[in-house]
Amino acid sequence: MMNTYKNFIPALALCGALLTSANVNAQTAPAPVPAPPQNWHTMDLTADGYFGISLNKAYQALKGKKSKTVVVATIDSGIDTAQADLKPVLWVNTKEKAGNGKDDDGNGYIDDVHGWNFLGGPGGKCDFTETTEEVREYNRLKGKYLQATEVTATDKKEFNYWQKVKVTYDSTIAQSSRQTQQYGQMMNVLMGTSGYIKRELKLPANGTFKAADLEKIKSTNDTVVQSKGVWGYIFAEEPNSTNSDVLKEISEALAKFNNDLNPDLEARARIVGDDPNVWDSKPYGSHLIKFDDASHGTGVAGLIGAVRDNKYGINGVADNVRIMAIKAVPNGDEYDKDIAKAIRYAVDNGAKIINMSFGKKLSPHKKWVDDAFKYAAEKDVLLVQAAGNDHQDVDAKPTYPNDQFEDGSATDAANLLCVGASSAKKGENLPGDFSNYGKNNVDVFAPGVKVTSVDKDAEFNTADGTSFASPITAGVAALLLEYYPNLSARQLKQIIMQSAKPLTGVMVKKPGSDERVDFTTLSKTGGVVNAFDAVQIAAKTKGDRKN
């Protein structure tokens, strides 16, 4: 999963050395950078000064046209089905009678009213905390290959795969060990300093504060001044966050790192009950799709289709969608079997667009996912995928899933869009510093830096991630299909790519470095998705959808 804890990495890195320093104080902390407007991702660069998707212009162009409802599936961490901005737009399986414990429609899934949870098990349980794929694969294969050599290995192909697994595993364990220590130290310092801030602000033990509250503190006590300075550094990078947001994200990160170092390898069997390494037709999972980890999926769904103009929450990109919630992504790496099953479930139940905001380093059963991609293509379903948040070139270092099919049948699927993350301003920081990129394997960029969406339990969240650039793009695709229902998945992809006009000559920082490159080198189109331009192109395109 593209974990949301990465939202705070820039801020934590900025103040990492200072968090344990006695010299940090409020005067050395930088002033908070003004946050872009909450809805900047919908704005127009020329009219508003923010490099959004020109959504208002798109709706102006569509004024007076009738739309057709489009079902969009989100394969993610689940959804808060009670969220006021999402409840009216949830997909409803009208053939299923809620709560009767029967498979009324005969699709193999009992009580799947709003979607399905492939991580669920009996008794309302859910395997929502997992380790990485490389840790699972290392432990699966180590008994057979840890002492083996190329000469002694009987299965050369599997041995070569094992070597890749071990290299990836060693890197992950080393990184998780470092980050566990780093984040643990940060947590201790932030917990301690937040206590001093709360006392000064006369807040209860569970109280929250944000950047503006720091200005209310006038104490000259050294410890208080240092505490104020520490949080000043954090809020300089994350001005819309509260102390609780930061601590929650670090806690989730620590849990993830710990599950790499001390994995619970029996959780899947104990909770879900199926074997993720065996492809079969045996049903598994549950109809419950809201758990403690539903924030990510709720935010993704909100960006696609949160109710527009209801004076609450945010406005989703598309105005006539139904969101099918499929829970298959834990805090950790998803299983190939779940993703393949989830895609097929979405296709079979009427989704025409599927958003996939997840990714990992290994794919032991890639063929299952490849076949699901092909199945979606056969049924004319568009897949929209986040490029990933590791600031790496995915042409050189692939992430999974992808459309480099194992059987060589495709290297660029006509129904898959891969999306990188861009920021609010045109300039050297246009690409998100965390965003993956690739001239051949990333198709477009879309807003993904400091993007605000709804969260579970009637809350809101401003976050970074290609996880959010992807649903914004999926929302544009849904908008096009609403008003131009004869467009095929292939045409939707082509139109969205055409809307992302090449920004030739715009020199930017390559994600993860200070190297300056032309923005057009970071993706196939070299541009940012634009809803208005996409609508203009769609209006002139004769649709070729067959069903």
Side-chain angles (χ1 to χ4, degrees):
M1 178 181 179
M2 293 167 187
N3 301 287
T4 54
Y5 70 79
K6 291 185 178 180
N7 302 340
F8 291 99
I9 286 178
L12 294 173
L14 177 67
C15 66
L18 292 166
L19 285 173
T20 55
S21 170
N23 295 321
V24 66
N25 56 61
Q27 284 70 45
T28 61
V33 177
Q38 187 182 72
N39 63 334
W40 79 261
H41 64 279
T42 70
M43 292 182 171
D44 178 77
L45 181 61
T46 301
D48 308 305
Y50 293 96
F51 211 143
I53 61 171
S54 305
L55 188 60
N56 291 337
K57 287 177 65 177
Y59 274 106
Q60 289 170 10
L62 292 168
K63 193 172 183 179
K65 286 184 64 67
K66 292 183 178 180
S67 65
K68 182 179 179 181
T69 302
V70 173
V71 178
V72 182
T74 58
I75 301 176
D76 215 287
S77 67
I79 286 177
D80 180 356
T81 54
Q83 226 289 345
D85 231 8
L86 294 178
K87 192 173 181 179
V89 298
L90 292 176
W91 171 75
V92 177
N93 183 357
T94 57
K95 299 177 182 179
E96 196 77 13
K97 295 179 181 178
N100 68 354
K102 297 179 181 180
D103 180 16
D104 299 295
D105 60 359
N107 70 351
Y109 301 93
I110 296 172
D111 289 338
D112 60 323
V113 176
H114 296 304
W116 193 251
N117 175 8
F118 286 95
L119 302 174
K125 295 180 181 179
C126 183
D127 181 24
F128 59 75
T129 299
E130 267 288 344
T131 187
T132 56
E133 192 68 81
E134 55 267 29
V135 170
R136 294 194 292 251
E137 286 294 273
Y138 176 86
N139 283 278
R140 182 176 71 87
L141 296 170
K142 69 178 181 180
K144 187 175 181 180
Y145 290 111
L146 191 57
Q147 304 301 325
T149 65
E150 188 171 2
V151 175
T152 61
T154 55
D155 187 331
K156 303 300 182 185
K157 182 178 180 181
E158 188 177 66
F159 179 76
N160 290 336
Y161 172 68
W162 155 257
Q163 290 182 307
K164 179 180 179 180
V165 167
K166 189 175 184 307
V167 169
T168 308
Y169 169 84
D170 289 342
S171 174
T172 293
I173 294 302
Q175 183 180 36
S176 292
S177 296
R178 288 193 304 270
Q179 290 181 318
T180 295
Q181 182 179 15
Q182 176 190 16
Y183 277 64
Q185 291 173 345
M186 290 179 179
M187 177 64 87
N188 290 337
V189 173
L190 292 177
M191 286 289 289
T193 54
S194 67
Y196 287 106
I197 298 296
K198 290 177 190 177
R199 280 194 287 274
E200 287 297 312
L201 294 172
K202 294 181 172 56
L203 296 173
N206 62 348
T208 61
F209 57 86
K210 52 190 177 181
D213 295 320
L214 297 181
E215 299 305 313
K216 302 173 186 177
I217 298 174
K218 305 301 180 183
S219 173
T220 58
N221 176 275
D222 287 346
T223 303
V224 174
V225 169
Q226 290 169 5
S227 298
K228 183 179 176 181
V230 164
W231 282 98
Y233 272 95
I234 296 293
F235 291 142
E237 286 293 305
E238 298 295 336
N240 289 329
S241 299
T242 67
N243 61 306
S244 295
D245 294 332
V246 176
L247 295 174
K248 176 177 176 287
E249 298 288 356
I250 298 176
S251 294
E252 290 178 357
L254 285 167
K256 170 64 179 64
F257 300 145
N258 181 66
N259 214 27
D260 290 341
L261 301 173
N262 303 290
D264 180 357
L265 299 171
E266 304 302 321
R268 174 70 177 213
R270 184 177 67 251
I271 297 172
V272 183
D274 79 306
D275 186 342
N277 293 306
V278 175
W279 184 263
D280 53 35
S281 58
K282 178 183 175 183
Y284 65 94
S286 77
H287 68 284
L288 302 175
I289 53 180
K290 180 192 175 182
F291 286 86
D292 290 345
D293 64 329
S295 292
H296 190 274
T298 301
V300 163
L303 290 169
I304 295 170
V307 178
R308 295 181 59 82
D309 302 323
N310 62 346
K311 298 181 180 179
Y312 170 82
I314 68 164
N315 285 340
V317 173
D319 64 345
N320 190 3
V321 295
R322 294 296 178 265
I323 303 294
M324 181 188 296
I326 305 178
K327 185 174 177 60
V329 184
N331 183 20
D333 281 351
E334 61 280 358
Y335 285 90
D336 289 338
K337 181 178 180 179
D338 296 342
I339 299 307
K341 293 278 188 181
I343 292 172
R344 290 177 178 274
Y345 176 92
V347 172
D348 289 342
N349 286 281
K352 288 303 176 186
I353 298 166
I354 302 175
N355 186 78
M356 306 188 301
S357 291
F358 53 82
K360 57 184 179 178
K361 299 174 184 176
L362 294 173
S363 182
H365 300 294
K366 189 176 190 305
K367 185 179 184 303
W368 298 347
V369 183
D370 289 352
D371 288 345
F373 275 28
K374 295 174 187 177
Y375 184 67
E378 290 169 7
K379 301 297 184 179
D380 203 14
V381 175
L382 179 71
L383 307 173
V384 186
Q385 180 181 14
N389 301 335
D390 297 308
H391 52 72
Q392 68 185 29
D393 182 351
V394 292
D395 291 348
K397 194 174 183 180
T399 59
Y400 301 93
N402 59 45
D403 57 358
Q404 313 298 300
F405 294 160
E406 284 189 340
D407 63 7
S409 61
T411 56
D412 184 14
N415 69 318
L416 175 70
L417 267 169
C418 184
V419 188
S422 56
S423 64
K425 290 291 186 177
K426 185 177 181 180
E428 66 175 11
N429 294 315
L430 178 59
D433 184 65
F434 54 83
S435 181
N436 285 352
Y437 56 94
K439 183 64 177 175
N440 297 318
N441 290 302
V442 174
D443 293 305
V444 294
F445 274 68
V449 178
K450 291 183 171 56
V451 171
T452 298
S453 187
V454 292
D455 201 344
K456 69 182 183 70
D457 301 326
E459 295 184 354
F460 305 91
N461 184 35
T462 299
D464 297 344
T466 58
S467 283
F468 307 113
S470 180
I472 288 171
T473 305
V476 173
L479 181 68
L480 296 176
L481 194 56
E482 287 175 24
Y483 289 91
Y484 302 96
N486 292 326
L487 294 174
S488 65
R490 176 187 64 83
Q491 288 177 312
L492 289 172
K493 175 179 177 176
Q494 290 176 338
I495 291 169
I496 288 173
M497 290 181 68
Q498 282 181 257
S499 81
K501 296 176 181 176
L503 297 174
T504 306
V506 176
M507 301 302 292
V508 299
K509 289 183 181 179
K510 181 188 288 187
S513 77
D514 288 327
E515 179 186 352
R516 266 62 171 179
V517 298
D518 195 295
F519 189 72
T520 58
T521 66
L522 300 180
S523 69
K524 189 171 294 184
T525 62
V528 176
V529 170
N530 189 280
F532 172 70
D533 288 340
V535 166
Q536 298 289 91
I537 299 167
K540 301 174 183 177
T541 303
K542 182 179 180 181
D544 60 12
R545 183 176 288 274
K546 297 178 182 179
N547 56 349

